[in-house]
Structure formats: C-alpha cells, structure tokens
Amino acid sequence: LKHSSKPEDKWKAACIDELRHQYAANLRVAYVQGDAKKKTPFFSVLLGSSMLDGTPCDKVLYRVRLPGNPIIGEGKPENQNHAIIFTRGEYLQTLDMNQDNYMGE
C-alpha cells in the first residue's frame, strides 16, 4: 500500500503504520512479498516496529521463502494461512476486518 499511487491506499498504509508503532510491543503484521507477474520468489514476512533515535521504523522479524505463490484460490484464507508459521502456542486468533457485524458470513 505504501508504494501505491492511490491516495486512499497511502492513507490506509499510514493508519496501519500508526497502529503498529503505537502498539509496537504486541502488534505484528504478516504479509506476502513477491510478484507472480515478474516471477520473483515469494516470501512470508513478519514485520514489527522498533525505535531508532526516537523515530519509529520497520523491523523485519522473520522472512521465510515460500515454495510458490500462496494465493492460488480465494485470497483471504490463503493470506491468513501463510502467517501460521509465525505463531506459537495452542491458540490462534485471526481478525476478519470485512465482517461488518454480519454473522451469516
């Protein structure tokens, strides 16, 4: 989103960064890095936040090479599944930001 030319995407990226820096001790963001069109390798990246001279900055905590494009079917389930490698323990909670309080989905 940061590199998008759309103002709405840049605003979303700024909001995500603000939340990540505000809750840096507990909040991590996992995303897929790679491009199927350019045939670059895919990586699952866990991004955290740290302070450098009083300025918040991105910190890549883990970067794992994936065997191929993880988004082969529906985008949302595969996007959540690639982040499981960064979890530990017996319980995992994922948040669906598009539910809009509709319990039938």
Side-chain angles (χ1 to χ4, degrees):
L1 291 175
K2 286 183 182 181
H3 304 294
S4 175
S5 61
K6 297 178 184 177
E8 181 179 321
D9 288 346
K10 291 186 180 206
W11 177 79
K12 287 177 186 177
C15 291
I16 291 169
D17 283 344
E18 183 178 334
L19 285 172
R20 281 190 322 103
H21 299 311
Q22 185 174 356
Y23 300 102
N26 299 315
L27 184 63
R28 308 286 185 264
V29 174
Y31 67 94
V32 175
Q33 182 182 43
D35 191 354
K37 293 178 185 176
K38 295 180 183 177
K39 299 197 180 209
T40 59
F42 287 90
F43 294 91
S44 185
V45 180
L46 184 65
L47 190 65
S49 180
S50 65
M51 297 295 276
L52 181 65
D53 296 330
T55 305
C57 61
D58 295 340
K59 181 179 179 184
V60 174
L61 302 174
Y62 296 102
R63 189 169 184 252
V64 178
R65 186 178 182 147
L66 300 173
N69 187 352
I71 315 295
I72 54 176
E74 288 187 38
K76 194 185 324 179
E78 283 89 356
N79 197 14
Q80 291 175 350
N81 287 338
H82 85 88
I84 290 178
I85 58 176
F86 302 126
T87 62
R88 59 186 182 275
E90 297 182 21
Y91 298 101
L92 172 66
Q93 177 183 3
T94 60
L95 299 174
D96 185 356
M97 300 305 289
N98 297 324
Q99 282 185 344
D100 297 327
N101 299 323
Y102 180 63
M103 299 304 286
E105 292 184 349

